[in-house]
Amino acid sequence: MFETDDDPRYARQMTSGPFKRGSNPWDRVQTAPTVTQQVARSKLDKAYATNLHDRLINHYRREILRQESHRREVAKDFDFYDGLQLSDEMIAHMRQRGQTPLVFNVISNVVNWLLGTERRARTDYKVLPRQEDASKAAEKKTQLLKYLSDINRTPFSVSRSFADSVKGGVGWIEDGVQEEDEGEPIYSRYESWRNIIYDSAGTELDMSDARYIFRTKWTDVDVAQSMFPDRKAQIEHSSTTSLALTRALDMMGDEVMDRREIEASERSYSTDVNGLSERHRVRLIEAWFRIPVEDKYVRGGQFSGELYDSRSPGHVQDVIMGRATVVPKVRMRMHVAIMTEEHMLFLGKSPYRHNRFPFTPIWCYRRDRDNLPYGLVRQMRDPQIDINNRAAKALHILNSSKVVMDSGAVKDMEKFEEEVSRPDAIIIKEHGKELILDADRGMDQSHLDMMGRSIQMIQQMSGVTDENMGRTTNATSGKAITARQDQGALATAPIFDNLRLAKQISGEKKLSLIEQYMTEQRQFRITNMRGNPQYIQINDGLPENDILATKADFIITEDDFAATIRQAQVEELMELLGSLAQTAPEVAIAVLDLAVETMDIPQREEIVKRIRQITGQTDPDEDPNNPAPETIARQQQQQKEQEFNEAMAQAELAAKQAEAQKKAAEAEKIATDIRKLTAEITRILTETTGKGVEMQVRALEAGAQILAAPGIGAVADEILDGAGFQDKSDLAKMARAGKVIGTPSAPPPAPQPMPQQPTEQPQGVPA
């Protein structure tokens, strides 16, 4: 497709060479042998360069011819959105018939709802590491991407590209590198669909199977010569003026691409008096194209499949450590050329390691027949034309009078025509002649009814219903309104899904540019949702701040784009939490942070953070290997509280154990005393066997001593019973009832008269 000359020097020039080092990032990204600026300019006039130029120009012209009619239709779609829905011929014809050329732009409201929805639900993203030990570096890359997004105003550029997509079928985002004196080296910006000509044979949404993309722009000759000082003569040869612009349009452009240039040239020429305002302009064509060449690629490791970069610390480290190898392969390699219609101005390999186009498309719909895109406006144009025609006809009927009359019904026709057009007309007709005013006046209502049906048809085709727009309809219940809003969201879901894909692809390219070009140590500032600054360091020598040594992946995290549906879902969730709070309040508290997180309210993140501080819940999306500072502080506080509770529990247990040991010692002492007393009683009984009164007296004295000791009363009673006494005195009753036990300070009871002892041996006393 893009054959080159057989000169082997071209192959060496396009496939090899070390990266040049320098302070300018644009210079650092290019290789000296492959960049035309670093070699003799005459090489651009060699056979291989001129042949490549001719082939690229032929592809460019063929695509313009193929897409010319389609691009005119896309331009008409934009005119319909802007209210330019009537052609000059139609306006003249309607005025000739006495009709007012009215435009009731229903399409713009439908498109504006989609554009507003995109602005209200802009996506967020994260950078996730491919290796566990690279989580800190991935977090730095996420913060750096957000900083670049703020500096480049990327959300606004994406919104402009999305507007082109909805209206015309495709919008474009450009991600690239520029010189440091123009701002941050990595930029992301909007590119007009009018300037882009792409490979219409490609079918993939990410343009991975496309061979080329062209961008064309008109530039002043002196500006172009300052960009390519060694090609001044070639630029001058390709330049034109407003007088010769028609030739340039016929050869290398189309009306859509050059409309603004033509209008500007015509206005400047019409006001030119002495020719001093004439501007010399040149059309520059920037071509990004793929051709198969041999180059070095990384095999294995976290950078597998990337073009090998000898300046990349990650590439070099993986190769040295044996995790990856460098292999030569023949693959489709991205190249870039800048040229005019007749000459090549620049030629070289793409400076970007991701080996992709710098332009990312945002598609709306694509025709299956030829893969050409079209927007939401295309299918609504016919109903919109019908709305304008019906409105003009209904107004014309209301503002005019149709008369049916017999011949000779009035005497003066000219005076009658003048009078009948007045709202307070007085008409005198001849007797016996029929004259009917405002005939067919009821047709205006028929046109208005058909006009209303066309408006409904536009809503049905677009999926943007009155419920989505917040208008009052026949749906009265909340469920019915939510159901219709859901239907509208489903109808527009493919458009937002393509937007999500485009953001994913664009984010991957920006992340690759960061890993390739952000090589210097630097500090940058990011702000939280309350505007407080936070300063981030990268490439300062610390491993966690090194963003070049590891590979990461760009991930889109997006909420439901339908704000109305998300609001209805939040309301249902809050009703559920209200029910849970009555029966299981602990469950409601446990999921309260997740409920607030789904709400579209100010300070949402701060509210969720404070709820989690109180409830002790953690962020479910938080990396367990890289917790947030507030999570670490909460865990430390919980650990301190747990340690304190454990210490208190151990102290309480020790006190209880000491009390138990004390009681056990007292019980052991009592048991010891009981054993001693029992032994003493046994000895006394043994010694006093058969001694009669003396034995009883000693037994009673021993019993009195026993009664003085707590817990021994029952033992003493058993001893007395065993000695053969059947005493029923008050002392014995009190002892058995336990009233004497535990009161050692009470005086001992008075001795009772002793009964006459039998002469035989007492029972129960051993011999």
Side-chain angles (χ1 to χ4, degrees), residues 70 72-78 80-81 85 107 376-388 458 461:
H70 166 72
R72 283 200 299 267
E73 293 296 320
V74 174
K76 187 181 295 185
D77 294 336
F78 278 83
F80 263 72
Y81 171 79
Q85 301 174 1
I107 288 178
L376 196 65
V377 177
R378 182 71 56 85
Q379 54 192 354
M380 298 187 294
R381 274 168 33 183
D382 291 343
Q384 180 64 64
I385 293 174
D386 184 71
I387 290 172
N388 296 333
I458 288 179
M461 289 187 299

Short mmCIF file of all heavy atoms in Angstrom, two decimals, residues 70 72-78 80-81 85 107 376-388 458 461:
data_model
loop_
_atom_site.label_atom_id
_atom_site.label_comp_id
_atom_site.label_asym_id
_atom_site.label_seq_id
_atom_site.Cartn_x
_atom_site.Cartn_y
_atom_site.Cartn_z
N HIS A 70 -21.46 12.40 1.81
CA HIS A 70 -21.76 12.13 3.22
C HIS A 70 -21.41 13.33 4.09
O HIS A 70 -22.19 13.70 4.99
CB HIS A 70 -20.99 10.90 3.68
CG HIS A 70 -20.97 10.73 5.17
ND1 HIS A 70 -22.06 10.33 5.89
CD2 HIS A 70 -19.97 10.92 6.08
CE1 HIS A 70 -21.76 10.27 7.17
NE2 HIS A 70 -20.50 10.62 7.32
N ARG A 72 -21.43 16.42 3.24
CA ARG A 72 -22.43 17.45 3.02
C ARG A 72 -23.68 17.19 3.86
O ARG A 72 -24.29 18.12 4.40
CB ARG A 72 -22.80 17.53 1.54
CG ARG A 72 -21.77 18.24 0.68
CD ARG A 72 -22.38 18.72 -0.62
NE ARG A 72 -22.89 17.60 -1.42
CZ ARG A 72 -22.21 16.97 -2.36
NH1 ARG A 72 -20.98 17.37 -2.64
NH2 ARG A 72 -22.74 15.98 -3.04
N GLU A 73 -24.07 15.91 3.97
CA GLU A 73 -25.22 15.57 4.81
C GLU A 73 -24.93 15.86 6.28
O GLU A 73 -25.80 16.31 7.03
CB GLU A 73 -25.60 14.10 4.62
CG GLU A 73 -26.14 13.76 3.23
CD GLU A 73 -27.44 14.48 2.95
OE1 GLU A 73 -28.28 14.58 3.87
OE2 GLU A 73 -27.62 14.96 1.82
N VAL A 74 -23.72 15.59 6.70
CA VAL A 74 -23.34 15.88 8.09
C VAL A 74 -23.40 17.38 8.35
O VAL A 74 -23.90 17.84 9.39
CB VAL A 74 -21.94 15.33 8.40
CG1 VAL A 74 -21.48 15.76 9.78
CG2 VAL A 74 -21.93 13.81 8.31
N ALA A 75 -22.91 18.17 7.39
CA ALA A 75 -22.99 19.63 7.54
C ALA A 75 -24.44 20.09 7.61
O ALA A 75 -24.77 21.02 8.37
CB ALA A 75 -22.27 20.31 6.37
N LYS A 76 -25.33 19.44 6.86
CA LYS A 76 -26.75 19.78 6.94
C LYS A 76 -27.32 19.43 8.31
O LYS A 76 -28.19 20.14 8.84
CB LYS A 76 -27.51 19.06 5.83
CG LYS A 76 -28.97 19.48 5.72
CD LYS A 76 -29.68 18.70 4.61
CE LYS A 76 -29.11 19.04 3.25
NZ LYS A 76 -29.88 18.39 2.16
N ASP A 77 -26.85 18.32 8.90
CA ASP A 77 -27.29 17.97 10.26
C ASP A 77 -26.94 19.08 11.25
O ASP A 77 -27.75 19.43 12.12
CB ASP A 77 -26.65 16.65 10.70
CG ASP A 77 -27.14 15.47 9.88
OD1 ASP A 77 -28.24 15.56 9.33
OD2 ASP A 77 -26.40 14.46 9.81
N PHE A 78 -25.74 19.63 11.13
CA PHE A 78 -25.35 20.72 12.01
C PHE A 78 -26.21 21.96 11.76
O PHE A 78 -26.55 22.69 12.69
CB PHE A 78 -23.87 21.05 11.82
CG PHE A 78 -22.95 20.14 12.59
CD1 PHE A 78 -22.59 18.90 12.09
CD2 PHE A 78 -22.44 20.52 13.81
CE1 PHE A 78 -21.75 18.06 12.80
CE2 PHE A 78 -21.59 19.70 14.53
CZ PHE A 78 -21.25 18.45 14.02
N PHE A 80 -29.31 21.97 10.79
CA PHE A 80 -30.62 21.73 11.38
C PHE A 80 -30.58 22.00 12.88
O PHE A 80 -31.53 22.56 13.44
CB PHE A 80 -31.08 20.30 11.10
CG PHE A 80 -31.99 20.19 9.92
CD1 PHE A 80 -31.50 20.35 8.63
CD2 PHE A 80 -33.33 19.92 10.08
CE1 PHE A 80 -32.32 20.25 7.54
CE2 PHE A 80 -34.17 19.83 8.99
CZ PHE A 80 -33.66 19.99 7.71
N TYR A 81 -29.53 21.59 13.54
CA TYR A 81 -29.42 21.87 14.98
C TYR A 81 -29.35 23.38 15.22
O TYR A 81 -29.93 23.89 16.19
CB TYR A 81 -28.19 21.19 15.57
CG TYR A 81 -27.90 21.63 16.98
CD1 TYR A 81 -28.61 21.11 18.06
CD2 TYR A 81 -26.92 22.59 17.25
CE1 TYR A 81 -28.35 21.51 19.36
CE2 TYR A 81 -26.65 23.00 18.54
CZ TYR A 81 -27.37 22.46 19.59
OH TYR A 81 -27.11 22.88 20.87
N GLN A 85 -32.80 25.43 8.81
CA GLN A 85 -33.52 24.27 8.31
C GLN A 85 -34.23 24.53 6.99
O GLN A 85 -34.77 23.59 6.39
CB GLN A 85 -34.53 23.81 9.37
CG GLN A 85 -33.88 23.44 10.69
CD GLN A 85 -34.89 23.13 11.78
OE1 GLN A 85 -36.09 23.17 11.55
NE2 GLN A 85 -34.40 22.82 12.98
N ILE A 107 -35.54 19.74 17.28
CA ILE A 107 -34.33 18.91 17.33
C ILE A 107 -33.35 19.44 18.36
O ILE A 107 -32.71 18.67 19.10
CB ILE A 107 -33.67 18.86 15.93
CG1 ILE A 107 -34.52 18.00 14.98
CG2 ILE A 107 -32.26 18.32 16.01
CD1 ILE A 107 -33.97 17.93 13.58
N LEU A 376 -27.64 11.80 15.75
CA LEU A 376 -29.04 11.72 16.17
C LEU A 376 -29.93 12.62 15.33
O LEU A 376 -31.12 12.36 15.18
CB LEU A 376 -29.14 12.11 17.64
CG LEU A 376 -30.42 11.75 18.38
CD1 LEU A 376 -30.58 10.25 18.49
CD2 LEU A 376 -30.43 12.38 19.78
N VAL A 377 -29.37 13.67 14.75
CA VAL A 377 -30.17 14.61 13.98
C VAL A 377 -30.65 14.00 12.66
O VAL A 377 -31.75 14.33 12.19
CB VAL A 377 -29.35 15.89 13.72
CG1 VAL A 377 -30.12 16.88 12.85
CG2 VAL A 377 -28.96 16.54 15.03
N ARG A 378 -29.87 13.08 12.09
CA ARG A 378 -30.16 12.58 10.74
C ARG A 378 -31.56 11.99 10.64
O ARG A 378 -32.30 12.29 9.70
CB ARG A 378 -29.11 11.54 10.35
CG ARG A 378 -29.26 10.97 8.95
CD ARG A 378 -28.89 12.00 7.92
NE ARG A 378 -27.54 12.50 8.14
CZ ARG A 378 -26.44 11.90 7.68
NH1 ARG A 378 -26.53 10.78 6.97
NH2 ARG A 378 -25.25 12.42 7.92
N GLN A 379 -31.95 11.16 11.59
CA GLN A 379 -33.24 10.49 11.50
C GLN A 379 -34.40 11.39 11.94
O GLN A 379 -35.56 10.99 11.82
CB GLN A 379 -33.23 9.23 12.35
CG GLN A 379 -32.82 9.45 13.80
CD GLN A 379 -32.54 8.16 14.53
OE1 GLN A 379 -32.75 7.08 13.98
NE2 GLN A 379 -32.07 8.24 15.76
N MET A 380 -34.10 12.58 12.45
CA MET A 380 -35.15 13.49 12.87
C MET A 380 -35.36 14.64 11.90
O MET A 380 -36.21 15.51 12.12
CB MET A 380 -34.81 14.07 14.26
CG MET A 380 -34.72 13.03 15.36
SD MET A 380 -34.53 13.75 17.00
CE MET A 380 -32.91 14.49 16.87
N ARG A 381 -34.61 14.67 10.81
CA ARG A 381 -34.72 15.78 9.88
C ARG A 381 -36.06 15.82 9.16
O ARG A 381 -36.68 16.90 9.05
CB ARG A 381 -33.57 15.72 8.88
CG ARG A 381 -32.32 16.39 9.38
CD ARG A 381 -31.08 16.14 8.57
NE ARG A 381 -31.29 15.97 7.15
CZ ARG A 381 -30.29 15.68 6.30
NH1 ARG A 381 -29.06 15.50 6.77
NH2 ARG A 381 -30.53 15.53 5.03
N ASP A 382 -36.54 14.68 8.69
CA ASP A 382 -37.83 14.67 7.96
C ASP A 382 -38.99 15.10 8.85
O ASP A 382 -39.80 15.94 8.42
CB ASP A 382 -38.08 13.28 7.38
CG ASP A 382 -37.12 12.96 6.24
OD1 ASP A 382 -36.50 13.90 5.71
OD2 ASP A 382 -36.98 11.77 5.89
N PRO A 383 -39.15 14.56 10.06
CA PRO A 383 -40.22 15.10 10.92
C PRO A 383 -40.05 16.58 11.23
O PRO A 383 -41.04 17.31 11.34
CB PRO A 383 -40.12 14.25 12.20
CG PRO A 383 -39.46 13.00 11.77
CD PRO A 383 -38.51 13.39 10.69
N GLN A 384 -38.82 17.05 11.34
CA GLN A 384 -38.60 18.47 11.60
C GLN A 384 -39.03 19.32 10.41
O GLN A 384 -39.63 20.39 10.58
CB GLN A 384 -37.12 18.72 11.90
CG GLN A 384 -36.76 20.16 12.18
CD GLN A 384 -37.42 20.70 13.43
OE1 GLN A 384 -37.16 20.24 14.52
NE2 GLN A 384 -38.30 21.68 13.26
N ILE A 385 -38.76 18.85 9.19
CA ILE A 385 -39.22 19.57 8.00
C ILE A 385 -40.74 19.62 7.96
O ILE A 385 -41.35 20.65 7.64
CB ILE A 385 -38.66 18.90 6.73
CG1 ILE A 385 -37.13 19.07 6.67
CG2 ILE A 385 -39.30 19.48 5.48
CD1 ILE A 385 -36.48 18.32 5.53
N ASP A 386 -41.38 18.50 8.31
CA ASP A 386 -42.84 18.46 8.33
C ASP A 386 -43.40 19.43 9.37
O ASP A 386 -44.43 20.09 9.14
CB ASP A 386 -43.32 17.05 8.62
CG ASP A 386 -44.83 16.91 8.56
OD1 ASP A 386 -45.39 16.99 7.45
OD2 ASP A 386 -45.44 16.76 9.64
N ILE A 387 -42.74 19.53 10.53
CA ILE A 387 -43.20 20.47 11.56
C ILE A 387 -43.17 21.89 11.03
O ILE A 387 -44.13 22.67 11.20
CB ILE A 387 -42.32 20.33 12.82
CG1 ILE A 387 -42.58 18.99 13.51
CG2 ILE A 387 -42.58 21.48 13.79
CD1 ILE A 387 -41.62 18.70 14.64
N ASN A 388 -42.08 22.27 10.38
CA ASN A 388 -41.97 23.64 9.85
C ASN A 388 -43.02 23.90 8.78
O ASN A 388 -43.65 24.98 8.75
CB ASN A 388 -40.57 23.86 9.29
CG ASN A 388 -39.50 23.79 10.37
OD1 ASN A 388 -39.75 24.05 11.54
ND2 ASN A 388 -38.29 23.42 9.97
N ILE A 458 -40.44 12.65 16.72
CA ILE A 458 -39.05 13.00 17.01
C ILE A 458 -38.65 12.45 18.38
O ILE A 458 -37.55 11.91 18.55
CB ILE A 458 -38.87 14.53 16.94
CG1 ILE A 458 -38.92 14.99 15.49
CG2 ILE A 458 -37.55 14.94 17.58
CD1 ILE A 458 -38.77 16.49 15.32
N MET A 461 -38.20 8.62 18.16
CA MET A 461 -36.99 8.20 17.45
C MET A 461 -35.73 8.50 18.26
O MET A 461 -34.77 7.74 18.22
CB MET A 461 -36.92 8.88 16.09
CG MET A 461 -37.94 8.37 15.08
SD MET A 461 -37.70 9.04 13.42
CE MET A 461 -37.90 10.78 13.73
#
